[in-house]
């Protein structure tokens, strides 16, 4: 059974808010009554996610994206300067969403073990629930232009810093038995990200159960000591 206790309330509340509000500029739950320019960008972003995930960035054409959005090819350039700019917007929004999620579920006053379980559980659940988008956001980084890659990489570094701070806090107070906090943090985040590459709803645990399972793995990786 997962060890999450107080942190589960924050995770459940955050999960409910995300479902109810339909957050994120490329979420299929976004309201459909917005002004037409926003709706058009939304359709193009959604179509780009599906096309990039199915064919890869390099093999995808602007016509593929336009067809997926049921728009003309010229419409792509009304809203985006290039196919690469679409990828950047998806990547930037995706990583910012992760940072916002960490802020939402993490309680800095809670014990490090509880914090780690909650954050890794939410991180993993996100990548399972959003596995199509996750494949694009995490595995097409090499296709970003240098001026777009660097800010996205800085967001990734910030995600790592926040999780490592939890690991370091557990080491400092004696709850965790870890010889290399950076390597351990990288391993935990990598296994959550990689889930987006292979996850399929029809033959995998539900996203929330997958989050609980990976949260358990994370506590084992840090050698969490139960203080009773």
């Amino acid at each position: 059974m997962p060890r999450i206790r107080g942190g589960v309330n924050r995770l459940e509340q955050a999960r409910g808010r995300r479902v109810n509000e339909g957050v994120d500029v490329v979420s299929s739950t976004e309201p459909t009554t917005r002004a037409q320019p926003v709706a058009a960008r939304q359709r193009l972003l959604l179509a780009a996610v599906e096309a990039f995930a199915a064919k890869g960035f390099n093999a995808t054409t602007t016509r593929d994206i336009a067809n997926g959005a049921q728009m003309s090819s010229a419409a792509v350039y009304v809203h985006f300067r290039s196919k690469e700019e679409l990828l950047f917007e998806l990547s930037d929004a995706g990583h910012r969403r992760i940072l916002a999620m960490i802020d939402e579920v993490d309680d800095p006053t809670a014990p490090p073990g509880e914090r780690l379980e909650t954050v890794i559980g939410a991180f993993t659940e996100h990548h399972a629930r959003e596995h199509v988008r996750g494949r694009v956001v995490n595995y097409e980084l090499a296709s970003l232009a240098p001026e777009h890659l660097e800010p996205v990489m800085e967001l990734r570094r910030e995600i790592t810093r926040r999780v490592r701070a939890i690991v370091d806090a557990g080491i400092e107070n004696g709850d965790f038995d870890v010889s290399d906090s950076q390597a351990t943090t990288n391993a935990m985040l990598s296994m959550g990200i990689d889930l987006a590459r292979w996850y399929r709803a029809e033959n995998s645990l539900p996203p929330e159960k997958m989050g609980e399972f990976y949260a358990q793995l994370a506590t084992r990786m840090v050698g969490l000591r139960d203080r009773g």
Side-chain angles (χ1 to χ4, degrees):
M1 295 292 293
R3 294 170 50 89
I4 300 176
R5 292 180 288 273
V8 72
N9 293 327
R10 293 173 64 87
L11 182 53
E12 289 291 345
Q13 290 167 5
R15 184 184 297 137
R17 282 195 294 271
R18 287 196 293 274
V19 170
N20 291 332
E21 295 172 3
V23 296
D24 197 283
V25 294
V26 293
S27 171
S28 60
T29 58
E30 193 78 10
T32 58
T33 57
R34 295 192 175 187
Q36 185 60 34
V38 176
R41 285 179 64 86
Q42 171 78 359
R43 287 162 57 191
L44 288 167
L45 286 163
L46 284 167
V49 167
E50 296 296 331
F52 293 156
K55 301 179 68 173
F57 176 83
N58 290 327
T60 297
T61 66
T62 53
R63 182 177 294 277
D64 293 329
I65 296 169
N67 287 344
Q70 297 183 321
M71 299 167 70
S72 69
S73 295
V76 176
Y77 297 104
V78 172
H79 301 281
F80 299 95
R81 288 175 293 183
S82 66
K83 181 179 71 168
E84 187 271 343
E85 187 174 78
L86 268 161
L87 178 62
F88 171 62
E89 183 153 334
L90 291 169
S91 300
D92 183 74
H95 286 87
R96 291 183 186 279
R97 187 177 182 187
I98 293 292
L99 285 170
M101 179 195 68
I102 292 173
D103 286 340
E104 197 170 20
V105 304
D106 185 30
D107 178 5
T109 67
E114 184 178 299
R115 294 177 66 195
L116 186 69
E117 289 176 300
T118 303
V119 169
I120 294 300
F123 184 83
T124 303
E125 180 181 334
H126 169 84
H127 283 87
R129 197 175 300 281
E130 304 287 346
H131 59 276
V132 175
R133 190 180 317 172
R135 291 200 298 276
V136 174
V137 168
N138 291 290
Y139 291 101
E140 293 289 354
L141 293 173
S143 297
L144 289 172
E147 64 272 19
H148 286 158
L149 177 60
E150 179 50 35
V152 171
M153 292 305 296
E154 178 53 34
L155 291 172
R156 291 174 73 88
R157 288 190 287 268
E158 180 60 24
I159 292 167
T160 301
R161 280 193 288 267
R162 295 193 191 188
V163 177
R164 183 179 179 180
I166 299 173
V167 176
D168 286 338
I171 295 171
E172 184 175 351
N173 75 357
D175 284 355
F176 297 169
D177 181 13
V178 174
S179 59
D180 189 324
S181 64
Q182 183 65 57
T184 303
T185 300
N186 289 342
M188 287 189 293
L189 292 178
S190 293
M191 71 181 188
I193 289 170
D194 192 57
L195 184 144
R197 180 181 56 81
W198 58 261
Y199 185 87
R200 297 296 182 273
E202 61 272 15
N203 56 12
S204 302
L205 290 171
E208 62 274 14
K209 294 298 183 182
M210 191 66 74
E212 291 176 3
F213 180 68
Y214 273 46
Q216 289 180 316
L217 291 180
T219 60
R220 292 170 187 164
M221 291 174 71
V222 297
L224 177 63
R225 298 188 175 104
D226 192 346
R227 293 188 170 182

